[in-house]
Amino acid sequence: MRPHPHNHGHGHGHDGDRAHQHDHDHDHDAEIPEPTAAERIGSLLTAASSVVLRAGGEQHELTTPVSVHGSRLRLRAPLDSPVTSAAAREQDGLAVVLDLTDIAPVAVRDRVRGRLTLAGRLHLAHLADDGLSVHLRLDVAHAALSTPYGTTAITGADLAAATPDPLARYEAGLLTHLADDHPDALAVLTRLLDPALLADHPDIRPLALDRYGLVLRLDHPHGHRDVRLVFPEPARDADEFGHRVHQLLTAAEQALPAHRS
């Protein structure tokens, strides 16, 4: 397996059908498989453990898992929460804006990967089994995801048609494991990159992952660059993610002589 370098710029990007490099400073290549904006938003919501809701001029932080059901989200809030009371009073739903920040699990400079703003109507669903909290339903009207590389807007219908990434719930654990326990593997993977990107001996950290590939952060004293390594085939679960990384490592070892020359 030979890598096919493909230069493109910062951030979360992807590239071709091999162990390709995708660099995020340029426009996305049509051939590069990567999650759509709606899939990214669904994945971000699926992995969330807390959100901020804005309603009626007030802001409420909820510690809650988020489940995505088409264009509807299921949240949980304390029974005595102001947002619960406000939602109960509105027969047609409480107009809310949900804010969620995507923070890289591994410590890097410029750690915020994106900011999600989602608008919709919040309804009281039913009392939770513990009797102390309630389930809330948020009907999504539209949402926007802003990253360092631009902002993309979607509708509730777009979200309903998207499938969250199967690795979304495991991304934080997989990235921190890779960073903390396998720095040697990260060093080997850099052999897949354009040697010019390594000229200043950047610090290499895993920034993001999804079923299509792994994004590395190349941190220089004067800035950073994010480069995606694309899996030969998408990973369907955490076990397959491990297999895909091993395939990239094999490709990197095979590519070594070419890069040394």
Side-chain angles (χ1 to χ4, degrees):
M1 182 189 304
R2 283 301 303 271
H4 291 61
H6 215 52
N7 289 331
H8 274 281
H10 283 307
H12 287 41
H14 311 16
D15 182 15
D17 57 0
R18 291 282 185 182
H20 294 335
Q21 164 193 330
H22 176 68
D23 172 18
H24 291 66
D25 284 331
H26 307 290
D27 293 335
H28 288 217
D29 190 309
E31 297 180 356
I32 296 167
E34 61 182 323
T36 65
E39 289 171 338
R40 289 182 190 280
I41 289 171
S43 298
L44 182 54
L45 290 165
T46 296
S49 58
S50 66
V51 299
V52 172
L53 290 179
R54 289 182 279 140
E58 297 184 353
Q59 184 169 294
H60 312 275
E61 183 168 356
L62 294 181
T63 300
T64 173
V66 180
S67 55
V68 182
H69 305 275
S71 62
R72 293 178 170 179
L73 310 181
R74 184 62 60 88
L75 312 174
R76 190 166 175 153
L79 184 60
D80 59 357
S81 167
V83 75
T84 299
S85 301
R89 289 194 299 266
E90 298 292 338
Q91 185 175 357
D92 296 327
L94 176 67
V96 299
V97 174
L98 179 151
D99 295 315
L100 184 57
T101 302
D102 180 17
I103 299 175
V106 174
V108 293
R109 181 167 46 183
D110 297 332
R111 198 165 177 175
V112 174
R113 302 186 300 189
R115 297 183 189 278
L116 171 64
T117 301
L118 181 152
R121 302 197 78 85
L122 189 69
H123 302 264
L124 186 62
H126 58 82
L127 188 66
D129 291 339
D130 62 8
L132 301 175
S133 58
V134 296
H135 291 287
L136 302 170
R137 187 188 82 238
L138 201 167
D139 296 337
V140 179
H142 53 84
L145 179 64
S146 297
T147 74
Y149 319 107
T151 299
T152 305
I154 69 164
T155 65
D158 294 328
L159 181 62
T163 302
D165 194 89
L167 300 181
R169 293 184 185 276
Y170 312 107
E171 184 194 27
L174 291 171
L175 288 175
T176 53
H177 173 68
L178 188 58
D180 295 343
D181 300 332
H182 298 287
D184 53 334
L186 292 174
V188 172
L189 289 174
T190 62
R191 300 173 189 172
L192 293 171
L193 306 181
D194 181 345
L197 297 176
L198 307 175
D200 293 335
H201 305 289
D203 183 35
I204 309 296
R205 304 286 280 170
L207 178 71
L209 64 85
D210 53 55
R211 65 185 179 275
Y212 294 114
L214 173 68
V215 180
L216 301 180
R217 165 67 56 86
L218 280 58
D219 209 348
H220 300 268
H222 52 275
H224 67 263
R225 182 181 295 270
D226 301 332
V227 182
R228 171 175 289 272
L229 299 177
V230 174
F231 298 145
E233 298 290 339
R236 293 174 294 185
D237 54 36
D239 287 339
E240 283 200 358
F241 168 78
H243 295 314
R244 297 295 177 260
V245 171
H246 282 294
Q247 288 176 302
L248 290 182
L249 289 169
T250 298
E253 290 164 355
Q254 293 174 350
L256 181 58
H259 282 182
R260 279 182 172 168
S261 64

